Amino acid sequence: MEKQRLDKILASTGRWSRREVKELARRGLVTVDGAPVRSAEEKFDPEAAEIAVNGEALCCRRYTWIMLNKPAGYLSATEDGRGETVLDLLPQELQRRKLFPVGRLDKDTEGLLLLTNEGVLAHALLSPKRHVDKVYYSRTAGRLTEEDCRAFAAGISLGDGLQCLPAKLEILSAGEESEAYVTLREGKFHQIKRMLAARGNPVTYLERIKMGNLALDRKLPRGAYRFLTEEEIAELRALV
Ligand code: URA
């Protein structure tokens, strides 16, 4: 949708006059994608921008995209009788938007998890055919070696017959406990844990730090979320 002035977008809701919008913006009470916008003349795409007044999000944006810094202990599901889900970390107003996680992180895995209600783009991002890389930081018990890197690059065969696509293992430190970045373009159940276990290096900690071009925002405390910006959503669209 074409960009429109902020005062026009907000006045079209019938809740504020343009003059009132100008004053609210001047006082820093209007935010777009979480950042205050001081000028009511600035232009945004009303379907793409997440606009809030006084902390209350307006439902102009067609789809919602959220980055969550997932803590351990939460299931990547929309509902589950067995425990808390990542949706429990969001306020009620967002829980009503029918959001779902874009792919799954295990209950004990932390880090970058996207939530959205835009099904088509979410599914495209997860398709192995699209080659959207996901990068993880891992700690493992046992010493990782260059041989492990070569095995990852060739594509690991798991004991249950699963043949993994070639993946990248970058060793950060090797010792009794090793640290590495793992880059995958698919997302099978417990994939990294199974790949590293197949090399004799069980995972002791796992965190997703990147998906495509989108890196985990280090300003987000564990358990906190923020809306993706228009630019970030556009970058995701460009990937598929
Ligand atoms: N691989 C895993 O083993 N677990 C995750 O949560 C993500 C990738």
Side-chain angles (χ1 to χ4, degrees):
M1 192 168 178
E2 213 166 284
K3 289 191 175 187
Q4 294 173 14
R5 283 171 52 135
L6 192 57
D7 52 3
K8 181 169 177 208
I9 300 171
L10 291 182
S12 72
T13 64
R15 295 175 61 184
W16 303 276
S17 66
R18 285 193 181 213
R19 183 182 302 192
E20 284 167 335
V21 175
K22 194 172 171 188
E23 180 56 17
L24 286 165
R26 197 189 58 74
R27 290 165 54 204
L29 297 175
V30 183
T31 58
V32 176
D33 297 330
V37 173
R38 303 268 172 188
S39 162
E41 290 169 22
E42 225 176 292
K43 289 186 172 176
F44 299 94
D45 176 348
E47 283 191 354
E50 185 70 46
I51 304 173
V53 178
N54 242 335
E56 182 199 340
L58 303 174
C59 281
C60 307
R61 193 180 240 185
R62 186 134 155 238
Y63 297 114
T64 301
W65 278 89
I66 281 173
M67 176 190 291
L68 174 72
N69 186 348
K70 179 189 174 298
Y74 288 82
L75 294 159
S76 299
T78 47
E79 55 185 69
D80 196 293
R82 291 166 300 159
E84 286 189 295
T85 75
V86 287
L87 287 176
D88 292 315
L89 294 162
L90 304 180
Q92 287 292 324
E93 188 269 320
L94 286 176
Q95 292 189 19
R96 283 194 287 272
R97 293 196 197 180
K98 297 196 166 63
L99 302 172
F100 56 86
V102 181
R104 282 168 188 261
L105 291 180
D106 296 338
K107 189 172 178 185
D108 57 356
T109 301
E110 300 196 309
L112 173 59
L113 184 67
L114 297 180
L115 293 145
T116 187
N117 46 16
E118 185 172 358
V120 176
L121 178 56
H123 291 117
L125 287 170
L126 293 172
S127 161
K129 283 191 228 115
R130 309 280 181 172
H131 299 275
V132 176
D133 286 345
K134 289 125 202 140
V135 186
Y136 296 82
Y137 163 80
S138 69
R139 282 201 292 269
T140 52
R143 185 179 295 274
L144 290 171
T145 64
E146 286 307 313
E147 210 174 304
D148 296 316
C149 298
R150 284 192 288 277
F152 267 59
I156 302 250
S157 304
L158 297 175
D160 58 11
L162 178 69
Q163 176 61 49
C164 300
L165 291 175
K168 189 154 125 196
L169 179 68
E170 290 171 82
I171 301 172
L172 301 170
S173 69
E176 265 173 43
E177 185 177 66
S178 301
E179 295 173 292
Y181 291 136
V182 181
T183 305
L184 293 185
R185 63 179 44 159
E186 53 184 346
K188 302 270 174 12
F189 181 64
H190 288 174
Q191 185 160 353
I192 293 181
K193 290 178 185 158
R194 288 156 75 203
M195 288 164 87
L196 283 162
R199 299 292 310 168
N201 296 83
V203 167
T204 55
Y205 177 77
L206 195 59
E207 178 189 36
R208 182 153 63 195
I209 56 171
K210 210 167 172 201
M211 204 167 160
N213 298 334
L214 195 60
L216 175 63
D217 186 338
R218 291 291 172 186
K219 293 199 287 295
L220 271 185
R222 208 63 92 190
Y225 73 92
R226 71 163 173 79
F227 293 105
L228 293 193
T229 64
E230 277 184 68
E231 289 72 27
E232 286 169 335
I233 297 170
E235 280 185 23
L236 291 179
R237 278 190 213 296
L239 287 175
V240 298

